[in-house]
Amino acid sequence: MNTGGNNIAYFIGSNGDAIGGMEIHAKYFCQYFNEKGNLTCIVRKEFIWDCMHNKKYYYSSNEELVTILKTFDVKILFFNDGHWIEDFSTLRKRFPSSIMIMRSGGNEFMKAPVTNMSLPIFERQKMWAREINTLDYVISNSSYSTHRMISIGIMKDKIVMVRGGVDTALCLKYSRIKSELRKKLVADYKIDPDSCLLGIVSRFEKFKGIEQAIETLSKIREKKWHLFIAGAGTEYVNILEKLNKYLKPSQYTLFGQLNPEQSLKLIAAIDFLLNMSLEYVRKSGMDTYIHTETMGRSMMEAVCCRTPVIATKVGGIPELFEEQDCIGTILENQNPGAKEIEEAIKKEPNISLQQVEKYDWSYIFGNIYEPMMNIKKIPAYKINLVIDLEDSIIHKFFDKKTNRQNFEKILHLSNICNVIINTAGELDNIFEYYPYINDYVRKMVIIANCGRKVLLFGKRFDFWEKYYESLFAPGDKLIEKIIMDIESRGEKVTKVSRIDKLYINFKVSNINESIIDEVNKIIKNTPYKLCSNNNNVKLISEEVEKGNTLRFICGHILGTSKSIGIGNGVLDMSFLDLCSKAYFINPERMYPHYTRVEVRNQLDMKEFLGVLENEVKKESFNSNG
């Protein structure tokens, strides 16, 4: 179980359903660091989930928890919320050299929940501050939250402010088709297209001010509107009662809880996002505290989707309006009247955005979290070791145990080079024949031909569609850049379509070779090129066009085409021609420029593996200078 390295134990106190900020943060955190290979285990009350081997380990005491965690050799303890607050001191003593970090939405510092809720709130807040000060860092989501933390005694130098947590690529995708999404929304729910489409995408809690917003909207008379509400939470029944009392059925559409992608589609389709949050006085034990909006992720998503925001001036909301030049209307009164909202929806703000990429999950995790957790970047090796499994190295050679020993010697080389395995069999067969390969998949690329190509990269399976989207397909930012450049030259891009999942078509009003040449100069450092395509323009990967998957992976994904190849003639010959050295195992005939290797017994195999290891080390050393 011990994997070493920058192993993360991720502590989750909530139930994991993606409803609020904590749950959404947990979803994207686990997804990102699982794919990076750093997430070792997820800790919940009563059990630990082993991410490497998909197993549960139950525990009934802190001592058992610590014992299990130590077998994972965790270097980072990351707490998704304050649910574990009373365990911080104990865990710090047992993991003195590990980095300990807590992330919070901001309100729980004031609520300060502990086992004994009969304690006065100021004592509980002091306890929270004392425990948090034993950590290395605590993540705040706004200046507003930071001031609250400091006010209860949390040390300023422990606080790292991180604003955001948005899938900006998906937002950009939907922002480009806003008009189509709006038309579909209007058609699907039979709404007057002249109506102003308003939306609330939120947890259903008192401090969100949804009930007050419904009552206020019912008083708008001069402007035709329709309200979409999406979410879930404790106030559902009260919200439903308000809707039935104040609005006509034709004036609103109530969704349930939407997944992140559905939420972004809705946000992009509407004309305005409403956030009518309050400074709500909430009970905590025998005392009270102010529960309010500390950041507002749905507003950030709206900004990235270029949907104007109408929001109340409470908590951390003003910070978003200060960061961005023109994103909508901020209302001074936290209980605005119908006239104020009506005036806001009559405006047509020209959205102007500043550095929204910093709101993106990947930016946050890669540029803030990883340095904070002292996670070392996986080295970009300068040499590839490409192996054709069929009839080479281990397949059909010796007994199962011997084959495993031989193959593991190869797999260990993934510490100093990129290991790429090509198999003509179905991907599942690799794990059936060689289940121990699971321990190495973080450092390998496996390609299998199963009718359609399948790729396993790192710890996850990506079928061809996802492989195309993540590796072959030009990203949304590149597509946007090309559209802007074409249109800056006086031509209009009227449609962008993906064809056969291999390339992208741009329908352009008028195009000529000089424009194509100019755009290709701009994207010359990418693995893509633009070419004419039946009076339109086609953007395609040069390597995909050649049909050479291995070459594409080596050159553009792993960053080096310098390779050592092993096969028996089954492996892609055009690729082996590019290898600095290629070995053929017991080939039926000899090929020029390749080294023939005779393996008839285990002594031959041992000798060859020693030669191979020396060659890989020599090439890795020379390539890295």
Side-chain angles (χ1 to χ4, degrees):
M1 198 185 300
N2 185 339
T3 59
N6 300 108
N7 295 339
I8 300 172
Y10 192 68
F11 290 71
I12 299 178
S14 58
N15 61 16
D17 296 330
I19 293 177
M22 290 187 296
E23 293 81 13
I24 291 174
H25 178 273
K27 170 186 169 68
Y28 281 96
F29 182 102
C30 292
Q31 179 179 302
Y32 180 88
F33 286 103
N34 193 44
E35 291 175 2
K36 294 280 287 187
N38 298 114
L39 185 63
T40 306
C41 59
I42 298 172
V43 184
R44 294 183 180 274
K45 291 295 183 182
E46 298 182 351
F47 75 86
I48 297 174
W49 178 255
D50 180 348
C51 299
M52 284 287 293
H53 302 95
N54 296 329
K55 291 181 181 178
K56 273 186 182 180
Y57 295 90
Y58 288 91
Y59 65 92
S60 57
S61 66
N62 276 352
E63 193 59 38
E64 287 184 10
L65 167 64
V66 169
T67 300
I68 296 171
L69 284 178
K70 283 187 176 292
T71 65
F72 286 97
D73 191 25
V74 292
K75 303 300 184 186
I76 301 150
L77 282 65
F78 196 110
F79 302 91
N80 190 52
D81 50 48
H83 195 78
W84 304 81
I85 193 76
E86 292 170 279
D87 300 308
F88 286 173
S89 295
T90 300
L91 291 170
R92 168 53 77 202
K93 289 176 184 175
R94 301 304 299 271
F95 297 92
S97 61
S98 294
I99 297 172
M100 293 177 62
I101 302 168
M102 172 187 163
R103 183 261 176 200
S104 172
N107 282 299
E108 61 180 340
F109 294 102
M110 309 313 292
K111 181 180 179 181
V114 295
T115 304
N116 182 8
M117 289 298 287
S118 65
L119 291 172
I121 195 167
F122 73 91
E123 287 190 23
R124 288 186 274 121
Q125 288 173 348
K126 282 184 179 178
M127 184 188 301
W128 267 62
R130 185 172 61 250
E131 291 294 315
I132 288 169
N133 286 336
T134 67
L135 305 180
D136 295 280
Y137 303 104
V138 57
I139 296 171
S140 163
N141 62 4
S142 64
S143 294
Y144 178 81
S145 293
T146 298
H147 292 312
R148 287 181 126 188
M149 293 180 188
I150 294 171
S151 73
I152 68 169
I154 294 173
M155 295 164 62
K156 187 176 180 179
D157 61 357
K158 300 277 184 181
I159 303 171
V160 176
M161 193 173 78
V162 179
R163 284 180 55 74
V166 177
D167 189 336
T168 57
L170 201 54
C171 288
L172 182 61
K173 173 183 174 181
Y174 292 140
S175 72
R176 287 200 301 269
I177 55 171
K178 285 179 70 67
S179 59
E180 288 90 336
L181 291 174
R182 189 187 194 280
K183 286 176 185 175
K184 188 175 188 309
L185 197 62
V186 166
D188 288 349
Y189 295 94
K190 298 178 173 58
I191 299 163
D192 184 339
D194 293 330
S195 296
C196 181
L197 307 188
L198 307 175
I200 296 174
V201 180
S202 166
R203 281 180 293 155
F204 291 172
E205 290 199 29
K206 282 288 186 186
F207 83 95
K208 293 290 186 178
I210 301 172
E211 296 160 59
Q212 290 84 345
I214 292 168
E215 187 173 348
T216 303
L217 288 173
S218 70
K219 298 172 184 175
I220 293 178
R221 299 287 181 265
E222 295 180 14
K223 183 77 174 174
K224 195 182 296 183
W225 54 270
H226 187 93
L227 176 65
F228 293 91
I229 304 180
T234 56
E235 291 299 304
Y236 176 81
V237 173
N238 292 333
I239 289 170
L240 189 58
E241 287 179 359
K242 289 284 185 180
L243 288 169
N244 292 332
K245 180 178 179 180
Y246 289 104
L247 303 185
K248 299 174 185 177
S250 61
Q251 289 181 301
Y252 72 89
T253 301
L254 179 62
F255 298 104
Q257 176 69 41
L258 301 180
N259 65 37
E261 186 166 355
Q262 291 169 332
S263 295
L264 288 182
K265 271 188 179 179
L266 177 61
I267 289 171
I270 58 180
D271 298 318
F272 291 90
L273 179 80
L274 300 182
N275 190 315
M276 300 288 105
S277 295
L278 313 166
E279 290 186 344
Y280 178 67
V281 179
R282 188 171 178 178
K283 286 202 69 176
S284 176
M286 303 298 291
D287 301 291
T288 61
Y289 71 102
I290 298 295
H291 194 141
T292 192
E293 193 74 75
T294 56
M295 183 184 73
R297 179 173 285 106
S298 65
M299 289 187 292
M300 290 183 169
E301 290 172 336
V303 167
C304 295
C305 287
R306 296 181 179 273
T307 297
V309 176
I310 301 172
T312 46
K313 194 175 182 178
V314 298
I317 293 176
E319 295 173 45
L320 180 61
F321 283 79
E322 291 165 6
E323 290 166 359
Q324 305 297 336
D325 291 338
C326 184
I327 59 170
T329 303
I330 187 164
L331 306 169
E332 296 291 333
N333 187 354
Q334 69 167 298
N335 292 298
K339 190 68 177 175
E340 293 172 84
I341 296 178
E342 192 167 11
E343 288 299 318
I345 63 179
K346 286 179 181 178
K347 299 176 183 177
E348 294 184 6
N350 182 21
I351 300 285
S352 175
L353 306 182
Q354 307 292 325
Q355 295 184 309
V356 293
E357 65 274 7
K358 290 188 176 180
Y359 296 153
D360 189 72
W361 289 111
S362 295
Y363 178 90
I364 290 168
F365 296 145
N367 294 279
I368 303 176
Y369 280 25
E370 286 187 20
M372 189 182 358
M373 294 189 286
N374 197 27
I375 289 180
K376 296 179 176 62
K377 301 290 183 183
I378 296 174
Y381 297 124
K382 301 302 180 184
I383 187 75
N384 307 310
L385 177 59
V386 185
I387 304 167
D388 184 4
L389 266 186
E390 189 171 16
D391 294 326
S392 70
I393 302 299
I394 59 168
H395 199 52
K396 300 178 183 176
F397 264 83
F398 307 113
D399 61 89
K400 194 172 183 180
K401 181 180 178 182
T402 306
N403 280 340
R404 170 172 182 155
Q405 291 172 346
N406 294 334
F407 194 27
E408 284 197 317
K409 289 180 181 178
I410 295 284
L411 296 176
H412 277 299
L413 295 177
S414 62
N415 290 315
I416 58 173
C417 69
N418 302 310
V419 175
I420 304 171
I421 295 179
N422 189 64
T423 172
E426 291 189 5
L427 194 62
D428 288 345
N429 289 345
I430 295 179
F431 298 96
E432 180 183 343
Y433 298 145
Y434 322 116
Y436 49 88
I437 207 170
N438 275 299
D439 297 332
Y440 300 89
V441 294
R442 287 179 171 178
K443 303 175 181 180
M444 296 166 52
V445 176
I446 300 177
I447 305 169
N449 296 306
C450 316
R452 304 171 79 188
K453 286 189 185 295
V454 178
L455 173 75
L456 170 66
F457 181 62
K459 282 190 62 185
R460 73 185 196 277
F461 290 94
D462 279 335
F463 290 94
W464 183 255
E465 292 87 352
K466 288 188 179 179
Y467 177 32
Y468 145 76
E469 289 171 2
S470 59
L471 303 182
F472 279 2
D476 287 331
K477 289 182 180 178
L478 180 60
I479 295 170
E480 187 77 11
K481 184 177 182 180
I482 291 169
I483 292 172
M484 290 175 64
D485 190 78
I486 292 174
E487 293 188 338
S488 72
R489 301 172 191 278
E491 308 301 336
K492 181 67 177 173
V493 178
T494 57
K495 186 178 180 182
V496 178
S497 57
R498 298 190 173 190
I499 309 298
D500 295 334
K501 303 189 183 301
L502 289 176
Y503 58 88
I504 292 177
N505 257 354
F506 295 79
K507 189 172 182 61
V508 184
S509 56
N510 184 33
I511 197 72
N512 58 58
E513 290 298 326
S514 64
I515 292 178
I516 291 175
D517 290 342
E518 289 301 315
V519 175
N520 278 327
K521 288 178 185 177
I522 293 172
I523 63 173
K524 65 180 181 180
N525 292 324
T526 73
Y528 308 102
K529 71 174 182 179
L530 212 60
C531 57
S532 57
N533 183 35
N534 298 326
N535 299 321
N536 294 321
V537 181
K538 178 170 69 173
L539 182 68
I540 189 168
S541 157
E542 294 184 71
E543 300 300 349
V544 172
E545 193 172 33
K546 294 173 185 174
N548 197 329
T549 305
L550 282 172
R551 189 182 323 197
F552 183 88
I553 290 173
C554 291
H556 297 303
I557 308 309
L558 300 176
T560 178
S561 294
K562 189 167 187 180
S563 306
I564 294 174
I566 303 172
N568 70 340
V570 178
L571 193 64
D572 187 338
M573 299 299 293
S574 65
F575 178 78
L576 281 183
D577 284 338
L578 300 176
C579 291
S580 56
K581 178 160 286 191
Y583 296 96
F584 272 13
I585 310 295
N586 301 337
E588 293 182 3
R589 64 188 181 88
M590 198 55 224
Y591 299 87
H593 314 302
Y594 302 139
T595 302
R596 181 187 184 105
V597 177
E598 293 288 339
V599 177
R600 303 302 175 188
N601 53 53
Q602 179 58 7
L603 187 63
D604 291 343
M605 178 65 80
K606 184 176 180 181
E607 182 180 342
F608 169 66
L609 292 178
V611 169
L612 182 65
E613 183 176 1
N614 287 334
E615 285 294 327
V616 169
K617 286 180 177 178
K618 182 176 72 174
E619 292 292 345
S620 297
F621 177 77
N622 290 339
S623 298
N624 286 291

